[in-house]
Amino acid sequence: MVKEEAKSLVESKKFLHEIFEHAAVGVSIVNLEGKWLQVNKKLCKIVGYSKKELLSTGYMKLTHPEDIKKTKEFVKKFSSGKIKYGYLEKRYIHKKKQVVWVFLSVSLVKDSSGKPSYFIVITRDITQRKKAEEELKESEEKYIALFNNAVDAIFIADPITRQIIECNKKAEKLIGYSRNKLLSMRADDLHPKDIRKEAMTGFKKQLEGKSNLEVTEILSKDNKRIPVAISASSININGKEYIQGIFRDITQRKKAEEELKESEE
């Protein structure tokens, strides 16, 4: 009976060791001074160091200089008793010197007397996620710059309510209303009442791919009818679909067409 229990205990420990060693995330045991006591293969792969190298040092040695302060503040919360577990995003410096972003799930383990003993740390490599976030941010910043400095008026509206949710500086200049006033309007309100239905129908056809450009008119603040060519498309903002309308003032083109027509008569 004793032999069977001993055998079962050995197998159980072996099983837990296999889970630890082959986990899909970095797993480590760290003492209260920040030195690694145990590390698995995945953690070694994340930071590029061998198990022997990691066990001879502590996580602060690999921590990005700019993240040392916040790491210390995070650990301090455990020692002060404020938290028993927590999460932290930080950077490590890989052995090959590149930056590795990680997400840490940290739990404090206490001994039988209730005294803090060591930390169990789960480490996830989030470098690709951070890279994607940075690329998205750069893309958004470029779009905002292009949006605000575009030579044409741009309106973004809700596809259901047609409420205008954003417009650029050129739109304010073209219509004559302030941004705040335009954001209180619907896309329909941009057009003279007698052609609103026709304009919205043309807008819809563009979104359905049935036409490429709509030539219509908008109404300025001083009730002046302005001929415009509109290009409409659907855009995704934070996972939601919106309508983007690019309005080009074709007043001069229309004037030239009229003058040509008169000269031919």
Side-chain angles (χ1 to χ4, degrees), residues 46-63:
I46 290 172
V47 295
Y49 289 90
S50 69
K51 185 176 293 187
K52 184 179 179 180
E53 288 172 320
L54 289 183
L55 295 181
S56 66
T57 186
Y59 59 79
M60 279 299 186
K61 292 288 186 180
L62 274 64
T63 298

Side-chain angles (χ1 to χ4, degrees), residues 86-141:
Y87 309 97
L88 178 69
E89 281 190 8
K90 61 179 284 186
R91 289 164 290 181
Y92 279 136
I93 302 298
H94 191 277
K95 189 175 182 179
K96 293 182 178 179
K97 306 304 179 184
Q98 69 255 35
V99 173
V100 179
W101 273 97
V102 294
F103 179 81
L104 306 179
S105 302
V106 183
S107 300
L108 176 63
V109 178
K110 298 181 179 181
D111 61 21
S112 57
S113 65
K115 186 179 178 180
S117 183
Y118 57 87
F119 296 103
I120 295 176
V121 184
I122 305 298
T123 304
R124 293 177 174 83
D125 185 346
I126 58 169
T127 305
Q128 291 305 312
R129 191 195 85 190
K130 281 291 184 177
K131 184 179 178 182
E133 288 175 354
E134 188 61 32
E135 288 174 350
L136 178 61
K137 183 182 177 182
E138 289 177 2
S139 176
E140 288 174 344
E141 288 174 350

Side-chain angles (χ1 to χ4, degrees), residues 151-153 170 174-175 191 195 206 213-218 224-231 246-259:
V151 296
D152 295 320
K170 188 67 176 182
L174 180 64
I175 304 290
H191 304 278
I195 63 168
Q206 280 198 65
L213 200 67
E214 178 191 2
V215 176
T216 183
E217 292 178 324
I218 55 174
K224 179 182 177 183
R225 296 172 80 110
I226 303 171
V228 291
I230 303 175
S231 174
I246 300 176
F247 290 53
R248 173 161 294 183
D249 183 351
I250 56 172
T251 301
Q252 293 304 314
R253 193 186 89 186
K254 282 290 184 180
K255 185 178 179 181
E257 288 175 354
E258 286 296 322
E259 290 175 351

Side-chain angles (χ1 to χ4, degrees), residues 16 139 179 200 212 216 219 226 248 254 262:
L16 291 174
S139 176
R179 175 176 176 273
M200 289 300 101
N212 297 320
T216 183
L219 195 64
I226 303 171
R248 173 161 294 183
K254 282 290 184 180
E262 288 176 3

Side-chain angles (χ1 to χ4, degrees), residues 145 173 189:
K173 186 177 180 180
D189 301 328

Side-chain angles (χ1 to χ4, degrees), residues 25-38:
V25 293
V27 185
S28 60
I29 294 176
V30 182
N31 69 15
L32 301 180
E33 288 71 46
K35 188 176 184 298
W36 275 301
L37 301 177
Q38 289 187 50

